Amino acid sequence: MQASLIAQIREHPLMLTLSILLHLILLAILAVSLSHTQAPKMPQSKKIDTVKAVVIDASVVEQEVKKLRQAEENKRNEKLAEQKRLEQKAQDAEKKRRQEEKRLADLKRKQEQQKREQAQLKREQELKAKQLAEKQKAEKARKQKELEALKKQQQELERKKAEEQKKLAELEAKRKREEEAARQKKLAEEAEARRRQEELEMHQQMLEEERRLAKQSAENQRLLLQYISRIQRKVEQNWNAPASMVAGWSCEVLVEQDRFGDVQSVQMKQCTGSDAFKSTVERAVRKASPLPEAPNNDIFEKRLNFIFRPDV
């Protein structure tokens, strides 16, 4: 019974508070009444003040009651919200459970369908394997017959081939004897013809070598002139005319170079111009290093002599 009472107090704290406050109010009123009975000589103003104080306390109590009611209302609203949340959670859980049951049912249905398809596929594969085995067996028997027939044909062909080879061997031996005689005769004729041809070719080679040497000499002379002309042009490109330059001046230049055209030394042999012109020519030759490459080794000269005559 005591536990039941405590449970009711926990469930309805507002009612307990109201009850306590009512008892307190009754005790206060009783105290005021007793005070009024025992002291009738107390001034009227004091009594009025006491009544007012009681009224003020009642308003405070009323405010507290309102607060407690509001708290109880808030707690009830919270319980309702919690209940709704739990109900929604339960609905969501039920929805998920149904979805999961549906998914499992679909999965089971798919698995059963796969099992049926696999069983059907297995039956088809077994049937195909059986048909293939029968086909291979029949094919093997057919090939065996063809092989036996081919073997007989091969034996007959080998016999005929042996006879043909014997005839061919006899003919080949005769042909070789005839060919050897003809080859010996031909070798003798070819040797004589080759000797005559070699003599003719040697004579022609001598004539061609004489013509080549003559032509090479003329070609080298032409290439040498082109080579010197290229050197003169490059020197002229690097030449700066002196202020006192007169048309027609020229210098004979002797240049010593290495195989890569790098100028090693420059000598001015004969110049028709002034010393300033001579100096400008020497500087131009050195600035033109490396000189243009020779067309071939026969044209290249380590010591090269040319005439520098600028076109001014």
Side-chain angles (χ1 to χ4, degrees):
M1 183 175 180
Q2 184 179 359
S4 175
L5 180 60
I6 293 172
Q8 290 180 1
I9 291 171
R10 288 180 179 176
E11 291 180 0
H12 304 286
L14 179 61
M15 299 300 294
L16 177 62
T17 304
L18 290 173
S19 178
I20 293 170
L21 289 174
L22 288 173
H23 282 80
L24 290 174
I25 292 169
L26 292 174
L27 288 175
I29 293 171
L30 181 59
V32 171
S33 299
L34 291 174
S35 177
H36 177 71
T37 305
Q38 293 176 358
K41 294 180 179 181
M42 184 178 293
Q44 186 68 26
S45 60
K46 294 293 184 178
K47 186 194 300 186
I48 294 171
D49 291 338
T50 303
V51 173
K52 289 182 178 179
V54 172
V55 173
I56 292 170
D57 291 339
S59 65
V60 171
V61 170
E62 186 178 356
Q63 290 178 359
E64 291 297 327
V65 170
K66 289 182 179 179
K67 289 181 180 180
L68 291 172
R69 288 178 179 173
Q70 184 64 38
E72 182 69 20
E73 182 68 20
N74 293 338
K75 186 174 181 181
R76 186 165 50 255
N77 292 335
E78 290 177 358
K79 286 185 177 181
L80 290 174
E82 180 66 17
Q83 184 177 0
K84 288 182 180 180
R85 187 182 66 80
L86 293 174
E87 290 176 355
Q88 183 63 38
K89 188 175 181 180
Q91 291 176 0
D92 294 342
E94 179 65 17
K95 183 178 180 181
K96 288 183 179 179
R97 184 186 65 78
R98 292 177 181 176
Q99 291 176 349
E100 182 64 18
E101 289 179 353
K102 184 177 181 301
R103 187 186 68 82
L104 292 175
D106 294 341
L107 180 61
K108 185 177 180 180
R109 185 169 57 257
K110 288 181 181 179
Q111 290 176 348
E112 291 176 354
Q113 179 66 23
Q114 289 178 353
K115 287 181 181 179
R116 290 194 295 272
E117 291 177 354
Q118 289 175 356
Q120 180 65 23
L121 179 61
K122 184 177 180 181
R123 289 193 295 272
E124 292 177 356
Q125 290 177 347
E126 290 176 352
L127 179 61
K128 288 181 180 179
K130 184 178 180 181
Q131 292 175 349
L132 180 61
E134 293 176 353
K135 185 177 180 181
Q136 289 177 346
K137 185 177 180 180
E139 184 69 16
K140 184 177 181 180
R142 184 182 64 79
K143 288 184 177 180
Q144 184 65 29
K145 290 181 181 180
E146 290 180 353
L147 183 62
E148 291 175 357
L150 288 173
K151 188 175 181 181
K152 290 181 180 179
Q153 292 178 3
Q154 183 69 22
Q155 291 174 352
E156 182 67 18
L157 289 173
E158 288 179 356
R159 185 185 64 78
K160 291 182 180 180
K161 183 179 179 181
E163 293 177 357
E164 292 291 333
Q165 286 178 348
K166 184 178 179 180
K167 292 180 182 179
L168 289 174
E170 294 173 356
L171 293 173
E172 183 67 16
K174 182 179 179 181
R175 183 185 65 77
K176 285 183 177 180
R177 290 192 296 271
E178 293 175 352
E179 285 183 352
E180 182 63 21
R183 188 178 70 81
Q184 293 295 334
K185 182 179 179 181
K186 184 177 180 181
L187 288 175
E189 293 175 352
E190 288 178 350
E192 180 63 20
R194 187 164 52 252
R195 184 184 62 79
R196 293 178 181 178
Q197 182 66 25
E198 288 176 353
E199 290 179 354
L200 178 61
E201 289 178 354
M202 186 176 296
H203 181 67
Q204 290 178 347
Q205 287 177 358
M206 292 175 62
L207 292 176
E208 289 177 358
E209 182 65 17
E210 290 177 358
R211 288 195 295 269
R212 187 185 67 80
L213 291 174
K215 183 178 180 181
Q216 184 177 10
S217 177
E219 180 68 15
N220 285 346
Q221 186 65 28
R222 183 181 66 80
L223 292 175
L224 178 61
L225 293 175
Q226 290 179 353
Y227 176 48
I228 293 174
S229 177
R230 289 171 58 200
I231 292 175
Q232 289 174 337
R233 284 198 302 271
K234 188 169 183 182
V235 171
E236 187 171 356
Q237 290 172 358
N238 289 275
W239 174 72
N240 294 319
S244 59
M245 179 65 192
V246 176
W249 283 359
S250 65
C251 276
E252 183 180 357
V253 183
L254 177 62
V255 179
E256 185 174 352
Q257 62 176 341
D258 61 13
R259 189 64 187 83
F260 301 101
D262 293 325
V263 175
Q264 305 295 316
S265 65
V266 180
Q267 294 182 16
M268 310 301 295
K269 300 182 71 175
Q270 292 182 0
C271 288
T272 60
S274 63
D275 291 338
F277 172 68
K278 182 177 179 181
S279 297
T280 59
V281 174
E282 182 177 354
R283 283 196 301 272
V285 174
R286 292 187 182 277
K287 287 174 65 177
S289 180
L291 299 177
E293 184 180 358
N296 54 51
N297 292 331
D298 295 335
I299 301 301
F300 176 77
E301 293 290 344
K302 187 174 181 180
R303 294 173 61 85
L304 187 65
N305 191 32
F306 66 93
I307 304 297
F308 179 75
R309 184 179 292 108
D311 186 11
V312 294

